[in-house]
Amino acid sequence: MAESSALLWQGEMALDRREFLRVLPAACAGRPHAQAGDAIRVELGAGARLRIELGPTRERRIALLALPATVITILADGPVPAALASAFLRDFENAYRRGGG
């Protein structure tokens, strides 16, 4: 079980805030969620919650290519059973996965 405010995942995603919020309902897979400023609270069930924090979006340049880059942090918001955290992270990853070659 993840403890209160335990880091569940952190990474830089190649998208801006608008794109992140557009995909968020699919990532939550029907779980209730609410945004307040730079944070989103997600209800996992059984009283467990997590918090997604959005960092500032910057521009990442690779030669002439410019991509948005936003740091995303997912934290336990109180005790979170490992099974609920894993299920959410799986849905999150699947929703934001992009094809590549």
Side-chain angles (χ1 to χ4, degrees):
M1 181 172 299
E3 295 302 317
S4 182
S5 295
L7 178 65
L8 300 176
W9 185 87
Q10 184 174 45
E12 188 174 70
M13 299 177 74
L15 43 65
D16 61 20
R17 186 175 300 249
R18 189 183 88 227
E19 178 71 5
F20 181 87
L21 294 173
R22 185 186 69 76
V23 177
L24 183 64
C28 289
R31 296 172 185 92
H33 60 282
Q35 181 183 359
D38 291 337
I40 297 117
R41 178 166 283 150
V42 181
E43 301 291 333
L44 301 178
R49 293 188 309 260
L50 57 80
R51 187 174 70 250
I52 301 171
E53 296 178 350
L54 305 175
T57 298
R58 66 178 185 87
E59 183 178 83
R60 178 189 297 163
R61 296 197 64 79
I62 303 169
L64 297 177
L65 179 65
L67 298 170
T70 305
V71 173
I72 308 295
T73 304
I74 302 175
L75 301 160
D77 193 8
V80 175
L84 291 178
S86 293
F88 175 80
L89 291 172
R90 180 194 64 236
D91 293 339
F92 182 87
E93 181 180 330
N94 286 337
Y96 287 102
R97 181 178 296 139
R98 295 183 178 187

